[in-house]
């Protein structure tokens, strides 16, 4: 394990502090809680606020997605652990502008418990209405979609929710669109080598030098199968075939593609993978509306990647194409030019 | 070595192909050469063209920096090897709009030879005037600046040159500004673990489990010193102290900060490093104009990072703040709003 850190007990405080210092025009600490971060840019048409959050170790997720066109604030947990209800409540109070707050988080026991508790607290104590969309795109984690974990596909849900909020829609409509985005999204990934938890120095899972794990989770949760390492093409075919089997993508559909590196897999590999993704989409007569390739939601220095497909209709396309200005996720164009004016 | 590739002999062809498929609105193959890539977005005021290039294995460098506000085309070499003169000439011919082409590349023997040869060929055969700015920001590579290698600081030179071209300046002015950007930039990095060359499977250098190498180059070139791994703070202090020793940054100056991950170092670590960078800049009374943190010019799955400081006056700040629209490097705002209109 070779990390460039200081005291292992301080990694989360220091990463958040370094982040806020890097982007002072974009984000600030809440004065009331060090794990509650508040965005500084907000579209003038936005009524509803969007709150995201989850464990640390997924940088630039989740704090990297606070910015104009995305989330208004983020609650930051410890490494691979949910934020507690207090910072969630704090963010809710500070980003709320009178028309409610949408929470988006992954389908993990700790997140469910803490976000639900925060939601009750803000409703009772602060009279703020909240809704929730729970990311569950990882099809390898369970046959039952309600038991599935959220992985990289959450980025696309943030994107859609942020755009819908910028369009000035009300809480019900923003929530409905974000839920549609989530329901239209499936992901599957593989792991090649583990990350190391800063405080213990222990690997998040074990694999032999010639092994890969198909369906591995973002915190090292077991996948479907350990096999010898296959080629990029064979591996991508396994993932895409499983995504297609979900049966939600039909010939003629438009899809958004997200190829997400987990941290240590090189960008070169991710682009090589895109050839097979592209071939298989064409063979199924699916049209690629937009492709994102990069390290968006990582697992520290884990090696591996995931593929996400989101089926998009005109409404979702308009959201996906909307302009975004976050430190780590910026996109020009779309249907609204008055950002930053 | 765990890579997600197909035939090791095909990695460059496949990564370029996967890249072009991911961003068809941004980049295309030249019809005349598979290693000559031409940008599709060009600012309407741009007269001079900007050509970048270098070896593969640095993704998203260098092809990721073709786009509006940056380079007009890129010549792609093999892994860690210069592109040959023919694709450089091909790109030059296709991006030239009558007012000359600026070449920006790193100070490596192969790049120098091939870009100079291409320059002569285009001058004699195509009557195209070219100039060159040669990146040499890596202060650890030599005491003599003319012998220094170019590393991550090249990104900032691309940024300045691209903005100057968008402002409609002539070749002499664009070149002068890019040269000023280069002369105002210093970088220094460290390596923690090697990358593996796809065709041989061999590591790019050797380090013990508890070792780091200070001053390591982007292709595994030896640095100044092998030591036991130090903390993020101590390591950053070594790098920043050496950058300050160059004597080009004075109290009251504005600087741009670039913290570049080499591939496998987690974003978490890069943000932790930024705390010490920020503290040391403040202690020297240097003002941070803008901070970039991420994996911009990588060495495949090498672990390590570099810090770059660029001293910026009003002219360079205007260039740094100019809007950019590349698949992997996007920035909203600045002094020109007619991009993409």
């Amino acid at each position: 394990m070779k990390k460039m850190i200081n005291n292992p007990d301080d990694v989360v405080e220091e990463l958040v502090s370094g982040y806020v210092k890097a982007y002072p025009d974009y984000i600030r600490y809440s004065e009331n809680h060090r794990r509650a971060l508040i965005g500084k840019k907000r579209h003038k048409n936005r009524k509803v606020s969007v709150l995201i959050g989850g464990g640390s170790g997924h940088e630039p997720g989740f704090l990297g997605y606070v910015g104009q066109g995305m989330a208004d604030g983020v609650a930051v947990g410890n490494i691979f652990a949910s934020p507690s209800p207090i910072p969630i409540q704090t963010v809710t109070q500070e980003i709320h502008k009178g028309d409610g707050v949408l929470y988006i988080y992954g389908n993990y026991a700790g997140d469910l418990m803490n976000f639900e508790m925060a939601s009750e607290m803000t409703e009772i104590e602060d009279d703020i209405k909240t809704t929730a969309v729970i990311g569950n795109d990882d099809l390898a984690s369970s046959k039952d979609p309600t038991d599935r974990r959220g992985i990289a596909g959450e980025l696309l849900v943030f994107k859609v929710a942020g755009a819908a909020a910028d369009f000035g829609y009300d809480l019900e409509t923003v929530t409905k669109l974000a839920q549609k985005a989530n329901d239209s999204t499936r992901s599957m990934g593989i792991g090649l080598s583990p990350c190391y938890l800063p405080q213990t120095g222990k690997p998040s899972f074990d694999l032999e030098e010639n092994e890969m794990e198909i369906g591995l989770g973002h915190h090292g949760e077991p996948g479907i199968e350990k096999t010898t390492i296959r080629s990029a093409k064979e591996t991508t075919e396994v993932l895409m075939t499983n995504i297609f089997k979900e049966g939600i993508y039909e010939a003629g559909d438009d899809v958004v593609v997200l190829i997400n590196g987990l941290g240590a897999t090189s960008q070169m590999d991710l682009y090589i993978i895109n050839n097979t993704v592209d071939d298989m989409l064409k063979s199924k007569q699916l049209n690629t509306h937009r492709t994102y390739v990069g390290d968006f939601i990582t697992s520290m220095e884990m090696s591996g990647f995931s593929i996400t497909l989101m089926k998009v209709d005109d409404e979702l396309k308009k959201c996906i194409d909307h302009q975004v200005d976050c430190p780590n996720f910026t996109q020009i164009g779309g249907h609204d030019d008055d950002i930053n004016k």
Side-chain angles (χ1 to χ4, degrees), chain A:
Chain A
M1 182 195 70
K2 287 185 163 182
K3 278 189 199 291
M4 196 39 60
I5 60 174
N6 297 304
N7 185 337
D9 292 333
D10 297 336
V11 290
V12 176
E13 300 313 324
E14 291 189 11
L15 93 86
V16 173
S17 156
Y19 188 89
V20 172
K21 284 172 183 162
Y23 312 118
D25 295 340
Y26 286 84
I27 201 164
R28 65 172 175 83
Y29 282 104
S30 159
E31 286 173 18
N32 299 308
H33 203 291
R34 297 284 289 178
R35 296 298 185 87
L37 283 295
I38 313 296
K40 287 184 164 184
K41 291 175 187 256
R42 184 181 172 103
H43 196 285
K44 65 176 172 49
N45 295 344
R46 183 179 283 223
K47 289 180 278 198
V48 172
S49 301
V50 177
L51 189 160
I52 59 176
S56 293
H58 302 298
E59 293 67 37
F62 298 99
L63 74 180
Y65 304 121
V66 172
Q68 203 154 346
M70 293 283 273
D72 298 288
V74 59
V76 177
N78 285 328
I79 301 287
F80 292 174
S82 171
S84 62
I86 296 293
I88 302 171
Q89 183 183 25
T90 304
V91 177
T92 310
Q93 290 164 344
E94 297 193 21
I95 65 177
H96 183 239
K97 302 292 179 197
D99 293 283
V101 178
L102 166 62
Y103 292 172
I104 310 174
Y105 53 94
N107 192 23
Y108 298 91
D111 289 311
L112 288 164
M113 187 179 73
N114 290 325
F115 277 89
E116 281 169 15
M117 198 178 295
S119 168
E120 284 171 29
M121 285 154 55
T122 55
E123 182 148 3
I124 293 164
E125 298 170 19
D126 310 311
D127 197 24
I128 298 174
K129 180 156 177 55
T130 67
T131 55
V133 171
I134 298 161
N136 64 338
D137 52 309
D138 183 7
L139 65 91
S141 52
S142 172
K143 286 206 169 134
D144 177 357
T146 64
D147 285 341
R148 289 177 177 174
R149 301 181 291 248
I151 55 170
E154 283 183 51
L155 176 75
L156 302 180
V157 182
F158 303 160
K159 177 83 190 70
V160 167
D166 276 7
F167 297 154
Y169 297 158
D170 64 14
L171 184 62
E172 189 187 340
T173 309
V174 173
T175 307
K176 218 176 77 185
L177 267 166
Q179 188 64 53
K180 180 160 101 174
N182 184 65
D183 295 344
S184 308
T185 300
R186 296 291 186 279
S187 304
M188 188 168 170
I190 62 111
L192 288 165
S193 66
C195 58
Y196 294 84
L197 301 173
Q199 288 173 302
T200 63
K202 296 249 164 67
S204 54
F205 57 88
D206 292 309
L207 274 180
E208 300 298 322
E209 188 47 43
N210 64 345
E211 274 186 334
M212 61 190 273
E213 182 151 350
I214 295 173
L216 192 93
H218 271 194
H219 313 95
E221 298 96 336
I224 291 169
E225 186 189 8
K226 280 187 191 185
T227 69
T228 53
I229 295 184
R230 302 183 194 170
S231 70
K233 183 168 184 289
E234 289 167 307
T235 306
T236 303
E237 283 170 353
V238 169
L239 302 185
M240 291 292 283
T241 301
N242 276 286
I243 292 172
F244 287 157
K245 271 190 196 157
E246 292 284 300
I248 64 173
Y249 311 95
E250 289 171 19
D253 280 349
D254 294 317
V255 294
V256 171
V257 176
L258 169 65
I259 303 177
N260 181 58
L262 290 181
T265 288
S266 73
Q267 301 268 310
M268 169 187 284
D269 297 16
L270 302 182
Y271 286 111
I272 289 173
I273 287 157
N274 189 45
N275 290 291
T276 308
V277 171
D278 193 72
D279 287 346
M280 292 188 72
L281 291 174
K282 287 200 173 79
S283 76
K284 287 278 180 193
Q285 294 172 273
L286 293 166
N287 312 309
T288 303
H289 178 66
R290 188 183 282 266
T291 301
Y292 297 102
V293 180
D295 289 2
F296 297 105
I297 297 185
T298 65
S299 302
M300 293 189 283
E301 62 285 320
M302 199 187 287
S303 176
F305 73 97
S306 62
I307 298 171
T308 299
L309 286 193
M310 181 191 208
K311 173 175 165 167
V312 285
D313 58 10
D314 287 346
E315 195 173 43
L316 290 179
K317 275 190 263 189
K318 186 180 162 196
C319 293
I320 287 291
D321 293 343
H322 178 62
Q323 183 152 306
V324 160
D325 185 12
C326 295
N328 285 292
F329 188 65
T330 310
Q331 186 176 300
I332 291 170
H335 304 265
D336 196 317
D337 291 323
D338 55 1
I339 281 188
N340 278 342
K341 281 181 190 167

